Amino acid sequence: MVLILQNDIPEAQKGTSKLPGIAPCAPTDWLRVDEAYAAQMAYRTQLLSERRDAVLYCAEDAVAAAQEVLEEALAVVPVLGFKVRSGAVTCPDGREIVIDRDQPLLTLGHLVQEDICILQKHGDQHVLTAAVLCFPANWRLSKKAGRPLTDIHIPVPEYDDNIARRVQRLFDGVQVGRPLWRFNKLIYADPDLHQPRKKDDGGVGDYIRTERQCVVRMPQTGAVVFSIHTYVVRADQTI
């Protein structure tokens, strides 16, 4: 078990929300840095080194989209305390990361706290074509890679045909420069951020895990980014 906790969760995420619970956010607010940045990034670095096949995926036809996501992120992060140069980035925790545009998601995985999923329209649905997913909450990238939205959400009980249609319309309709966000809120007995399989907690737990999830349209490729910023706090810290 790896224990990495935030001091609190954002005020907007202390309530409850029904799926899909979507609201607009500022154009650059799909990436954030919080007080757990250094610890989370150290864990991400470990996972990318030791379990790369489990946390990183990019289909051949998604490389251009992944490169665009990297460039869009590099344009955002200076306001978050990063120093971006032509070939490298100084992160808020002092690490120097070389920008490898041939491996854009690997670079992103070393830069930002967010997990990044890229979905592209194939036929009638958006398909998961690339991702850096270090902090899954009860799902494995290997089982979802290359699959459409309806398959990705199996076996989520709430994800019925009505929700599936609404989410597909959301991914179809999200506009460049007008990202959207939602959050979830789960009780966990184990605070480990990397949980491809949730451990049985008997329905009780000492930790709250909440994900701030943003949906962002890329301007050139039209790909949709689903970014996930994960917060974990002790249950008695929140209301």
Side-chain angles (χ1 to χ4, degrees):
M1 180 181 74
V2 177
L3 181 63
I4 300 173
L5 302 178
Q6 275 91 350
N7 298 332
D8 202 353
I9 58 178
E11 188 65 29
Q13 289 175 230
K14 289 186 177 182
T16 59
S17 180
K18 295 181 180 179
L19 289 172
I22 296 295
C25 71
T28 61
D29 198 24
W30 56 285
L31 298 175
R32 290 187 172 185
V33 169
D34 64 42
E35 71 277 8
Y37 178 83
Q40 283 197 1
M41 296 312 299
Y43 195 15
R44 294 177 71 86
T45 298
Q46 176 187 339
L47 291 165
L48 286 164
S49 174
E50 298 176 359
R51 304 198 61 188
R52 184 174 300 184
D53 289 345
V55 302
L56 190 66
Y57 164 74
C58 189
E60 185 175 346
D61 62 356
V63 172
Q67 290 170 334
E68 183 181 18
V69 176
L70 174 59
E71 298 304 325
E72 291 291 312
L74 290 173
V76 170
V77 296
V79 299
L80 300 175
F82 296 77
K83 297 179 180 178
V84 179
R85 302 181 301 283
S86 60
V89 179
T90 303
C91 300
D93 58 357
R95 290 174 303 120
E96 293 284 332
I97 302 299
V98 174
I99 300 171
D100 185 348
R101 289 180 169 83
D102 291 328
Q103 298 191 75
L105 288 182
L106 181 61
T107 301
L108 271 174
H110 285 99
L111 289 176
V112 299
Q113 283 178 265
E114 284 78 10
D115 284 318
I116 301 291
C117 299
I118 297 174
L119 296 102
Q120 295 173 280
K121 190 74 175 287
H122 289 179
D124 294 331
Q125 291 199 62
H126 279 79
V127 172
L128 180 62
T129 56
V132 53
L133 182 76
C134 293
F135 301 154
N138 198 25
W139 63 288
R140 285 178 290 170
L141 181 56
S142 63
K143 297 293 184 181
K144 307 299 184 179
R147 299 176 69 177
L149 280 169
T150 49
D151 289 355
I152 290 171
H153 286 89
I154 294 172
V156 179
E158 299 89 351
Y159 201 85
D160 57 19
D161 288 344
N162 179 51
I163 291 293
R165 287 192 295 270
R166 290 168 64 189
V167 172
Q168 183 56 57
R169 286 199 298 270
L170 166 69
F171 275 70
D172 285 338
V174 64
Q175 299 176 31
V176 173
R178 301 180 66 181
L180 303 167
W181 81 283
R182 70 173 300 276
F183 72 92
N184 61 18
K185 190 175 180 181
L186 303 168
I187 302 296
Y188 273 65
D190 183 348
D192 196 338
L193 288 158
H194 182 75
Q195 291 204 50
R197 293 180 179 176
K198 185 181 178 184
K199 299 172 185 177
D200 185 12
D201 57 17
V204 297
D206 295 326
Y207 301 92
I208 290 177
R209 176 177 177 138
T210 178
E211 298 175 336
R212 184 177 188 271
Q213 305 166 343
C214 295
V215 182
V216 190
R217 174 80 67 188
M218 292 293 101
Q220 301 300 319
T221 62
V224 176
V225 171
F226 186 74
S227 67
I228 308 166
H229 190 116
T230 302
Y231 299 83
V232 180
V233 298
R234 297 188 189 277
D236 58 10
Q237 289 178 236
T238 65
I239 58 174

